[in-house]
Amino acid sequence: MDPDSILNDDQLQKILDDQQVDGVEYKGENTYVISLEEEKVVAIKEYYSFMNYNWSIYTETAGFDID
């Protein structure tokens, strides 16, 4: 599966709010590192039922490096 394909997800598009995406890296377990124009975020696709999920987005903070 191509990691960039998550950018077609309607729910994720709303969260990212049309920010410029420079790249996507799959880390495993429905976890992705998304490189935006000014920062990197971790996006985790969390399922709450068989076919339903929400995206959780985490940004880099002091003392925590996403790389």
Side-chain angles (χ1 to χ4, degrees):
M1 181 176 149
D2 179 23
D4 290 329
S5 66
I6 67 164
L7 299 176
N8 297 324
D9 185 284
D10 291 334
Q11 190 181 68
L12 187 59
Q13 286 178 352
K14 288 178 187 176
I15 293 170
L16 295 177
D17 194 33
D18 297 324
Q19 295 184 57
Q20 174 66 36
V21 175
D22 294 331
V24 178
E25 182 181 355
Y26 181 67
K27 293 293 192 177
E29 298 289 327
N30 296 317
T31 303
Y32 301 84
V33 174
I34 302 174
S35 298
L36 303 173
E37 189 172 359
E38 297 181 11
E39 65 181 342
K40 287 185 179 179
V41 297
V42 174
I44 301 174
K45 191 177 193 179
E46 298 178 313
Y47 285 88
Y48 58 88
S49 70
F50 181 69
M51 294 187 62
N52 298 306
Y53 60 88
N54 286 320
W55 285 98
S56 295
I57 306 294
Y58 301 93
T59 58
E60 190 173 42
T61 60
F64 176 74
D65 187 16
I66 290 176
D67 292 327

